[in-house]
Amino acid sequence: MSENTVYTLAKTLQKTDGLEKDFAQMLSALRDTVEKEYLLKIRSAANAETAFAKEHPPKEVTLLRALSAFMDEGGRAQLDRMTKGLMFLHTLQHVQRGVADFSEGNLLAARSAEGGAPEDLPSAQSAKMAGLLLTLALAEQF
């Protein structure tokens, strides 16, 4: 007696209990992949930009921090908010300079940062997207 393949397939397609579980597993795997391959790298780059800005603060931030010692608690809080805002702008300017290296054709500066060959350099469009994603990640931090 031969097996009816249409019957077997129809029976399989009618069972949807496992389908929800399978889709949930696929969605979870996709979420994990996006987190590992993209979001962690974006957050790591944002952390590196923040660390760079903290190591090299602008003169205005240094001045505000020095003035903070002579202020009352309310004044210190206000200066801290101003300092945080200036640090955010300073960090964004640093990111924008990195994007500008690609946009303005200053590939020598971009290449010297990574030491890569010309064919390894990302496109200007990718650099702009990276700058945008870094800006969004930095907005979360500040």
Side-chain angles (χ1 to χ4, degrees):
M1 183 176 204
S2 71
E3 188 176 319
N4 186 340
T5 55
V6 173
Y7 171 77
T8 306
L9 181 60
K11 191 174 169 183
T12 302
L13 293 175
Q14 187 173 343
K15 292 181 185 177
T16 57
D17 341 341
L19 194 58
E20 280 184 42
K21 185 178 105 181
D22 292 341
F23 275 116
Q25 287 175 341
M26 285 189 289
L27 185 58
S28 177
L30 179 62
R31 234 186 249 124
D32 290 345
T33 300
V34 168
E35 178 71 29
K36 289 176 188 170
E37 291 297 318
Y38 301 100
L39 297 178
L40 284 176
K41 291 175 183 177
I42 292 167
R43 288 184 193 117
S44 175
N47 290 338
E49 289 293 336
T50 302
F52 179 83
K54 286 180 181 178
E55 288 178 23
H56 307 287
K59 295 173 188 172
E60 298 84 1
V61 168
T62 305
L63 177 63
L64 288 175
R65 286 178 179 160
L67 289 174
S68 178
F70 302 102
M71 304 294 279
D72 63 357
E73 191 173 317
R76 264 194 302 277
Q78 193 171 15
L79 283 178
D80 287 345
R81 285 191 301 274
M82 289 175 17
T83 300
K84 191 174 183 178
L86 284 172
M87 286 299 289
F88 178 63
L89 292 175
H90 176 65
T91 307
L92 289 181
Q93 287 171 345
H94 188 259
V95 169
Q96 288 304 96
R97 280 192 297 271
V99 171
D101 285 343
F102 287 92
S103 301
E104 295 171 2
N106 189 4
L107 298 180
L108 184 60
R111 193 177 309 126
S112 67
E114 288 297 319
E119 61 273 3
D120 293 338
L121 289 175
S123 67
Q125 192 67 19
S126 294
K128 288 178 184 177
M129 180 62 72
L132 175 64
L133 292 171
L134 268 174
T135 300
L136 291 172
L138 286 168
E140 270 186 358
Q141 289 185 358
F142 284 91

